[in-house]
Structure formats: structure tokens, C-alpha cells
Amino acid sequence: MSGIVAAHGPFDPGRGQRMLDRLAHRGPDGSGSRELGPSWLGSRYLSIVDPVSGDQPLSGGRAGELWVVGDGMLHNHRRIRERFGADRFHTDSDLEAALVLVEQLGAQGFEHLWGPFALVVAAADGRFAAARDVLGLAPLYWVHDGGTVVFASELKAFDEDQRPAVRPFPPGHCWTPDGGLAPIRRFPGTAPVLLQSRAEDDEPPAWVFDALRETLIRAVDRSLAGRHSPGVLLSGGVDSSIITAIAARHHGEGQALKTFAVGLEGSGDLAAARLVAEHCGTEHHELVYTADDALDAVPRVIAGLESFDPKLVHSAVPNYFVSRLAALHAKIVLVGEGADELFAGYSHFGRHEDASELQAELIETLQGMHIGGLQRVDRVAGALGVEPRLPFLDLDMVELAMALPPEWKLVGRDRPAKWLLRKAFDGWLPDEVLWRRKEQFGEGTGMNDVLTEHFGQTVSDGELAAEAGALTPPVRTREELAYLRLLTAALPGVNAQETVGRFAEA
């Protein structure tokens, strides 16, 4: 994980350094910047792949004239090295693969990158390109400020005078000064499904479950790769429990996998996480926090989260505590985010009886994750210097899951939500965990009621009526308005309408 700032056009390096300083939490291992002709690159970086020679900005190319700053991880960097030859590379950093591709293919090289990334490449001769992965797993924002285009990893990096015009950089696109904004990859799920015209009660062939299991195992293996021993944020739900079961089997010899769980005293998530940890033989760490602890953390969480959506805040508060716990023991954590979006796990997906309508909503939900659930995972962990990795959102896994017939994801009498995923891992976990009813992170930890009651009381009905129309759709509840006020206080000038995703229901 890194925090990046970049600009093309007239730019004050002092402004760039101020922006970098606001991203110090994303990169505790070092900081660097470089002026390159009409461009400026800066980074706060967390060294994961190459802590010795992977400082940013990183130079590369045959003459070393190209430079890159980036956030995320390029899963296929070793394949790119093999394709172009070891003599083209000077470090072990995965980011150098992007430099070689751009040198060889120009901006079209970005389409060959696999993994979560937000990258900016520049050279003194004026070459400049910015790109973001198709799911938006790595955050990136941008603003057109006169004749200058400025990029940064988080909203808070931008000076207050720029924030009203800041927008999310669109996932799956690149931008160059000459070519403007252009797509680099088609979104998963928009191609035809693998198997057409399936009856919703049709039993999938065995290879489907084998493929799901093997693909997720490979994704977990990629997430485990690196010099640092990772842990798992174990909520006790089926998604993080499956990740834990896989990681525990594939973790390195001689050291137990670390797992982390939090909740209010007596919460269901804590009990389920303990059961999974015992079953998988992990080194389990847990934290019991109080309602007062949670309430005190909310302003800090919202400032880091850069959102005011109540559902996101409900899950971000326990995520803050579990990430803080994990930061004491691990630099990398595996997270179960993404399974609900791929396999229709949220309760509102259960209303669908038409498979095509379900598929359309799943795609829409995935496309909105970069300013929704992914924002929670990235910001909360990033604020504490921890890099989250999301095996369910490995592109291989996403493309497979979204190519399966949506009829198999409909909820039925004998098919609970995410039954495809559950059945693929039958026998890997205790049944009471594998087939546990879906709970939102804030619900399972006991968080939702605490926050809703307290913050709802800080706003009157009259205040809600007077201020609700500031956004479209209008602010929906007193609690949501309370969070919006906290966000506005933490990030003056931010355009919440254009930069903050909101769930369908408050």
C-alpha cells in the first residue's frame, strides 16, 4: 500500500509535499518525490515486495528515463519479467513491470497488468500516463485545475481549494495528455455467461464447484506471497472463514497463521471467529471493545473513511478496531470482501426472482464498490499502515464468478444466499459456520444499534428536514446527517455528491 500524488502541468512542489504529508498514514516506510519536465511525482510508500530497492518514485526502462509511483500490487509482474527478459529489470519491485510495459507498448501496456493498482508513469520529455485497475481496488482521485491535472490516493490529500472539483478516477481507464481518458479493460460480467439457459433449480456440474474452489485457492496463494507473514481479518462470517481455512492450509511451515477478531462483549462474530480459529489451528487474537470506545472512534473513522453512508460507517467502526489490532502483529491482512457482491450474499439480492435482473444488479454493485465497500477496506486499514488483500476480488475469481449462470445465485427454498460458494467448500469448516446466516459486519459485532441510537439523537427532525435537500437523493435519516456533518468538518470543501458512494437504503 502506498499514497501517491502526481501532477501534469504547472505545479508547485510545495503543494505536492503538503499533499504527501496528508498521506503519511499510507506509507510509513518512506517518502520520495521527483520533478520530470512538466510533471511531478510523489509517494508515501509501504515496502512489501522489494523493501531494499523498491523506493518510490521508481525509475526504469532501458535508459532509466521513465519513473513511476503506484499503489497496489501487480500479481503478474514475474510473468512480465519472463516475457521481456531479466536484463530489462533493475529491482525486484513489481512496479518495474509497469515501466517496462509502458516503455514497450505505451499506454496500451496497462491492459496487460493483473491485480489491484493505481499508477502514474512520467518522463522528463513529457510522457505521462495514469491508470487504475478495472475494479478500482486501488484508490485514485483526480482534479483538473486550470492547465494542470492532479492525482492523489485519497480526498484528504487535496488542498481545500481543489476539493469541490475532485472526482474519483474511473476504474479500468488510463489518462494521457494527448489521448485523454480511455478504457483499458472490459468490466467482468459484461460478456456472455459460460453456461446459457440454465433452470434455476438445475444442479451445477461438479466442475463448477471444483473451479470455484481451485480459483479461490490460487487467489489466496497470491495474497500470501511476499516477504511478510500475513494475517486474516476473521469476522466469523462465511467469507472470511473460508479465506482463513484456505490460508491456514497453505501458510508457510513452522508458523501458525494469525487471525484477528473484534466485537462487543457477547457478540456473535466473536464466538464464530473463535470456533473457526480453533478449527483451523490459527494463532488467534481478539479485542472486546465497549460502546463508548466505538462512539469515541466514529469522528476519527469517518475522517479516515471519507464517507458518511451509515451502512459503511457501521462496518467501518469494527473494521477500525480489528485493523488496529492486526497492525500490532502483521503488515498484510487478508480480507473476505467481495463474496457478497459476486455470489448475491446481501439480503436485498434475495428479492430477485428474475436471473437477468439479479445479474444486472450484481454488475452495478461491483462497479460501485470503489466508492463503497472497497473504500472502507482500503481507508481503514490504510490509516493504520496495514495492507489489505482481497482474494475474492482477484480478477480470475471475479471473471469466473460473474461468468456463471445467475440462476444459480437466486435464493430458493433449498438454496440460501451464496450456496454456490458454501457448497464448494463443504467440509472445510464446521457446518454452523459454513451455513451461518449472513450478518453485516456491524450487525454481527453488535455495532449497528449502538451507533444508530446515539448519533440519531444528535440531530432533530427539524434539522433533517431543513438540510436533507443538500444532496440527491436527499439525506435519509438523522443518523446519516450527523455523519455528513462529521465528514464536512473533517474534509472542508469536499463534494460529497460527486465523491461519496451511498447504499440504496440508509
Side-chain angles (χ1 to χ4, degrees):
M1 173 174 287
S2 300
I4 65 173
V5 175
H8 183 78
F11 187 68
D12 175 13
R15 182 191 284 258
Q17 191 57 55
R18 290 195 303 273
M19 295 176 70
L20 276 184
D21 289 344
R22 298 187 195 110
L23 296 177
H25 54 279
R26 296 185 69 89
D29 288 344
S31 176
S33 63
R34 192 169 188 90
E35 291 186 69
L36 296 158
S39 306
W40 190 91
L41 302 180
S43 173
R44 295 288 313 217
Y45 50 85
L46 179 68
S47 297
I48 296 293
V49 176
D50 183 3
V52 176
S53 56
D55 296 355
Q56 297 187 41
L58 179 74
S59 66
R62 286 191 174 90
E65 76 280 7
L66 280 175
W67 293 77
V68 64
V69 289
D71 181 28
M73 182 177 181
L74 305 180
H75 291 313
N76 62 334
H77 71 102
R78 299 197 185 281
R79 289 200 295 270
I80 295 170
R81 288 171 184 269
E82 293 172 359
R83 174 183 172 186
F84 289 98
D87 61 309
R88 298 283 295 273
F89 295 82
H90 309 287
T91 73
D92 289 332
S93 173
D94 57 318
L95 287 180
E96 196 174 359
L99 289 174
V100 171
L101 280 171
V102 171
E103 181 182 55
Q104 192 76 19
L105 304 172
Q108 292 181 340
F110 289 121
E111 71 178 278
H112 298 281
L113 297 177
W114 200 262
F117 64 84
L119 304 171
V120 180
V121 176
D125 61 10
R127 283 176 290 171
F128 186 97
R132 190 181 184 193
D133 70 83
V134 70
L135 294 173
L137 297 171
L140 190 64
Y141 294 86
W142 66 333
V143 64
H144 290 73
D145 187 4
T148 303
V149 184
V150 185
F151 302 81
S153 295
E154 296 183 11
L155 290 167
K156 63 178 63 66
F158 294 91
D159 287 349
E160 185 175 343
D161 65 310
Q162 292 178 318
R163 287 176 185 164
V166 173
R167 299 291 184 270
F169 188 83
H173 285 71
C174 70
W175 182 87
T176 60
D178 295 331
L181 193 65
I184 58 176
R185 187 183 292 274
R186 184 167 61 179
F187 195 84
T190 55
V193 297
L194 287 176
L195 302 172
Q196 296 285 352
S197 303
R198 311 297 296 192
E200 63 183 77
D201 59 350
D202 189 17
E203 185 71 15
W207 70 261
V208 169
F209 301 106
D210 292 341
L212 287 172
R213 185 168 53 254
E214 292 165 6
T215 303
L216 186 57
I217 289 172
R218 286 196 301 270
V220 170
D221 284 345
R222 279 193 282 268
S223 296
L224 292 172
R227 290 178 167 87
H228 298 278
S229 179
V232 181
L233 302 189
L234 177 56
S235 72
V238 65
D239 309 331
S240 63
S241 297
I242 288 174
I243 297 299
T244 299
I246 298 171
R249 293 190 185 193
H250 289 249
H251 194 248
E253 293 290 333
Q255 187 177 9
L257 177 73
K258 295 181 176 69
T259 51
F260 309 98
V262 299
L264 297 174
E265 187 67 49
S267 66
D269 276 0
L270 279 177
R274 290 171 193 152
L275 181 62
V276 173
E278 182 178 359
H279 178 83
C280 296
T282 71
E283 179 189 313
H284 190 55
H285 303 263
E286 69 175 33
L287 170 71
V288 176
Y289 59 86
T290 68
D292 286 340
D293 293 334
L295 296 174
D296 289 344
V298 165
R300 185 164 58 254
V301 167
I302 287 177
L305 180 64
E306 300 186 337
S307 177
F308 62 92
D309 182 89
K311 285 189 175 181
L312 215 53
V313 174
H314 290 174
S315 60
V317 170
N319 199 254
Y320 164 79
F321 286 112
V322 75
S323 296
R324 192 175 69 176
L325 173 63
L328 300 174
H329 305 276
K331 210 168 187 177
I332 299 167
V333 292
L334 276 59
V335 184
E337 193 77 21
D340 291 312
E341 290 78 7
L342 295 179
F343 297 99
Y346 293 126
S347 58
H348 63 268
F349 290 135
R351 74 182 188 278
H352 286 290
E353 297 181 357
D354 181 85
S356 61
E357 292 178 0
L358 173 60
Q359 180 79 348
E361 186 173 2
L362 290 175
I363 293 172
E364 182 181 4
T365 302
L366 280 168
Q367 290 174 328
M369 284 190 75
H370 71 104
I371 51 172
L374 289 177
Q375 190 163 320
R376 170 181 57 80
V377 172
D378 173 85
R379 300 297 194 284
V380 175
L384 296 160
V386 179
E387 178 176 306
R389 294 185 178 174
L390 296 80
F392 280 110
L393 293 176
D394 182 280
L395 202 50
D396 283 343
M397 188 68 190
V398 174
E399 291 190 336
L400 172 60
M402 295 306 294
L404 294 176
E407 287 85 355
W408 290 341
K409 300 176 185 178
L410 293 170
V411 175
R413 184 180 61 186
D414 299 320
R415 292 183 176 178
K418 295 188 290 193
W419 77 276
L420 274 174
L421 177 64
R422 297 175 198 264
K423 187 168 181 179
F425 286 90
D426 192 29
W428 285 60
L429 291 163
D431 283 351
E432 57 265 45
V433 173
L434 188 63
W435 299 98
R436 183 186 179 203
R437 181 183 70 85
K438 168 68 181 174
E439 291 182 310
Q440 306 296 336
F441 196 10
E443 179 184 358
T445 56
M447 194 74 275
N448 293 7
D449 293 342
V450 171
L451 297 181
T452 298
E453 180 179 355
H454 175 84
F455 285 97
Q457 291 176 353
T458 66
V459 173
S460 70
D461 289 334
E463 289 172 319
L464 177 62
E467 299 179 43
L471 297 177
T472 303
V475 179
R476 296 160 288 188
T477 66
R478 292 179 298 165
E479 179 191 15
E480 188 174 36
L481 179 56
Y483 296 155
L484 176 59
R485 289 175 173 178
L486 288 172
L487 177 68
T488 303
L491 293 172
V494 70
N495 188 329
Q497 181 71 55
E498 298 293 337
T499 57
V500 178
R502 299 165 71 190
F503 283 91
E505 300 176 0

